[in-house]
Amino acid sequence: MPEAVSGRRPYMVGNWKMHMTIAEARAFVEELVSRLSSAGDHVDVGVCPPYTALAATVESLDGTGIEVFAQNMSASQHGAETGEVSAPMLLELGVNGVVLGHSERRRDHGEDDRSLCEKVPAALDAGLEPILCVGESEQERDNGEMQRRLRHQVREGLQQVPDERLGEVTIAYEPVWAIGTGRSAAPEQAQEAIAFVRALVGDRSEEAAQRVRVLYGGSVKPDNAADILGQPDVDGALVGGASTDASDFAELVAAAAR
Ligand code: PGA
């Protein structure tokens, strides 16, 4: 993933999922910042706290350059949507971006490609950086349907994004069978799928394909990160479990800086 070759800056994002109270988030951030050393100078770093800890995390990270992402948002600006949060609400908190279409939301909370087709451009229009998550299930992989699934997810998710803004979207390729299972994709599998995702963007705009950052996600840990991050099309990682341990996450950021 050397930046000098690809021109794309490495990107490491920690998805905290439903972990961290406000107090825990503050303590975590303090420890992370103290451990990051100079690696953070060469890598873009982001964290995705739960909604309740967003404001405290934004405040604690002020001046560090580390970005803060929400884990979901509504495509609407406001309305009768009990339990939802909109882009203007996130912006008011100083949030930089939003993760959209995580497989846990697709699987357990009814998120589908049709709503993502609205959410991704809504985030961009509001000035939030979207991280669009895509990935096949184990069954789809076994049935030889990985490419079909990715094609559908990437095309729908980016459908309403104008060509000239495609490069502003970050895509996270997260095979569902590798998330939280301790079983990461082999580096070659990550490379193959991510090159395919990049080619899908290239069907719309070759310039955007070269610019768009595509991350790998699924059981990234300090002991497997270097091999995965060393693949030419892998621009970084969306990290779940290992991102809630400040020492592990700092190690992962250092691995991306190499
Ligand atoms: P994991 O999660 O690193 O715990 O597998 C990744 C993700 O869900 O983004």
Side-chain angles (χ1 to χ4, degrees):
M1 177 197 46
E3 184 186 358
V5 178
S6 73
R8 298 180 297 270
R9 212 170 131 83
Y11 206 2
M12 297 298 280
V13 181
N15 175 12
W16 297 353
K17 308 192 178 187
M18 199 173 70
H19 295 286
M20 305 249 202
T21 62
I22 290 174
E24 287 165 347
R26 286 211 169 102
F28 175 89
V29 160
E30 197 178 317
E31 188 184 346
L32 178 66
V33 170
S34 76
R35 285 177 180 271
L36 271 186
S37 67
S38 60
D41 299 346
H42 308 285
V43 179
D44 287 341
V45 180
V47 295
C48 316
Y51 290 130
T52 46
L54 281 171
T57 306
V58 168
E59 188 190 293
S60 303
L61 285 172
D62 188 35
T64 64
I66 298 176
E67 298 200 332
V68 180
F69 290 78
Q71 298 175 13
N72 183 33
M73 67 164 214
S74 167
S76 316
Q77 304 263 315
H78 49 74
E81 296 188 23
T82 303
E84 293 291 317
V85 166
S86 71
M89 296 169 186
L90 297 175
L91 280 170
E92 189 181 36
L93 296 179
V95 166
N96 305 94
V98 58
V99 174
L100 295 170
H102 189 279
S103 67
E104 286 153 14
R105 298 223 52 91
R106 292 177 188 263
R107 186 190 63 205
D108 304 329
H109 301 278
E111 184 75 275
D112 61 16
D113 290 325
R114 206 167 332 137
S115 78
L116 291 164
C117 176
E118 293 179 17
K119 288 185 179 189
V120 177
L124 280 174
D125 287 348
L128 291 168
E129 180 192 328
I131 299 181
L132 171 66
C133 300
V134 298
E136 81 287 359
S137 68
E138 183 157 36
Q139 197 184 359
E140 286 164 336
R141 176 167 277 266
D142 290 347
N143 293 344
E145 293 172 350
M146 176 190 83
Q147 294 197 346
R148 187 187 60 77
R149 186 82 193 114
L150 293 180
R151 190 179 297 115
H152 196 266
Q153 291 175 329
V154 171
R155 284 196 182 152
E156 288 262 316
L158 299 180
Q159 194 182 12
Q160 313 273 9
V161 177
D163 286 1
E164 63 277 10
R165 298 205 72 182
L166 284 172
E168 296 170 48
V169 180
T170 294
I171 302 175
Y173 166 65
E174 301 203 299
V176 177
W177 45 272
I179 295 178
T181 57
R183 196 183 133 206
S184 80
E188 304 71 35
Q189 290 174 318
Q191 165 59 24
E192 185 199 0
I194 286 178
F196 181 70
V197 167
R198 194 178 302 289
L200 290 170
V201 177
D203 291 343
R204 294 270 310 274
S205 155
E206 193 43 48
E207 193 200 332
Q210 293 314 313
R211 228 180 106 203
V212 73
R213 290 190 287 188
V214 189
L215 315 182
Y216 167 78
S219 297
V220 174
K221 304 272 184 283
D223 62 0
N224 62 19
D227 287 345
I228 295 172
L229 296 171
Q231 300 297 313
D233 277 287
V234 179
D235 297 316
L238 181 57
V239 185
S243 78
T244 53
D245 180 306
S247 153
D248 280 358
F249 192 55
E251 229 182 286
L252 293 173
V253 173
R258 283 198 284 272

